[in-house]
Amino acid sequence: MEIIVIRNLDTVDLSLLLEESKKEGYRFLERLVHEYQAGTNTFKNPGECLYGVLDDKNVLLAIGGLNVDPYCGNQGVGRLRRFYVSAKYRRTGVGSNLLKAIISRARTHFKVLVLHTDTEQGDRFYLSQGFEKEELYPKSSHYIKM
């Protein structure tokens, strides 16, 4: 498996992850595509990036992004966005490795990284990765200091 920087979302086949996420009731990958196509979130601001995890056949297994937090108005706060791992690859280290890459990038640009999750599974995952659960920042459920 390989973690890549996605510089142009239009060059990545997101269809399998998109379909799977919709079946699970998640709409944030649809928002990722819509916002990217509309130009409202292309992960191009300083410090921002979009990562993917590919298998040996170049199939996208996971995706996750880093933005300047649009809700707190502080350039020192980054936000984990559109983080999704295919169900088949959860609890295999794919998500942890992807998150570590995003955190590594965040450390070079931000003082704090925040996120929002409303699932118990997500809560357990982020706590296990060193995040703290507290709503200190607008529209966030977890944070980690860089």
Side-chain angles (χ1 to χ4, degrees):
M1 290 180 226
E2 178 185 12
I3 297 174
I4 62 162
V5 174
I6 299 172
R7 300 192 193 289
N8 183 345
L9 189 61
D10 295 329
T11 64
V12 177
D13 184 1
L14 192 61
S15 61
L16 294 175
L17 287 184
L18 191 57
E19 182 180 325
E20 182 180 318
S21 68
K22 288 194 301 192
K23 285 180 183 174
E24 288 187 294
Y26 301 123
R27 299 288 183 230
F28 58 87
L29 290 187
E30 283 182 304
R31 286 193 298 274
L32 167 68
V33 172
H34 175 73
E35 290 170 354
Y36 194 90
Q37 290 173 345
T40 57
N41 187 4
T42 57
F43 300 89
K44 301 285 189 216
N45 293 322
E48 296 185 341
C49 62
L50 183 62
Y51 286 99
V53 179
L54 299 174
D55 69 7
D56 58 353
K57 296 178 182 164
N58 288 328
V59 174
L60 193 64
L61 308 177
I63 195 165
L66 174 63
N67 285 129
V68 173
D69 187 349
Y71 303 113
C72 80
N74 181 339
Q75 294 292 313
V77 179
R79 180 170 287 263
L80 181 68
R81 305 292 296 273
R82 314 306 185 222
F83 192 90
Y84 184 81
V85 178
S86 174
K88 182 177 175 183
Y89 292 93
R90 293 178 193 154
R91 305 187 64 82
T92 66
V94 169
S96 295
N97 288 331
L98 176 58
L99 184 59
K100 285 176 188 169
I102 293 170
I103 289 172
S104 178
R105 170 69 179 229
R107 286 189 196 288
T108 65
H109 295 280
F110 303 106
K111 295 177 181 174
V112 176
L113 180 61
V114 301
L115 64 93
H116 178 268
T117 185
D118 56 6
T119 68
E120 189 175 312
Q121 180 182 7
D123 177 54
R124 285 192 310 269
F125 172 72
Y126 293 115
L127 290 174
S128 77
Q129 301 297 312
F131 282 80
E132 296 186 46
K133 184 177 182 176
E134 198 165 345
E135 296 176 11
L136 294 179
Y137 299 89
K139 299 185 180 186
S140 69
S141 59
H142 296 73
Y143 75 95
I144 189 170
K145 291 186 178 180
M146 301 285 98

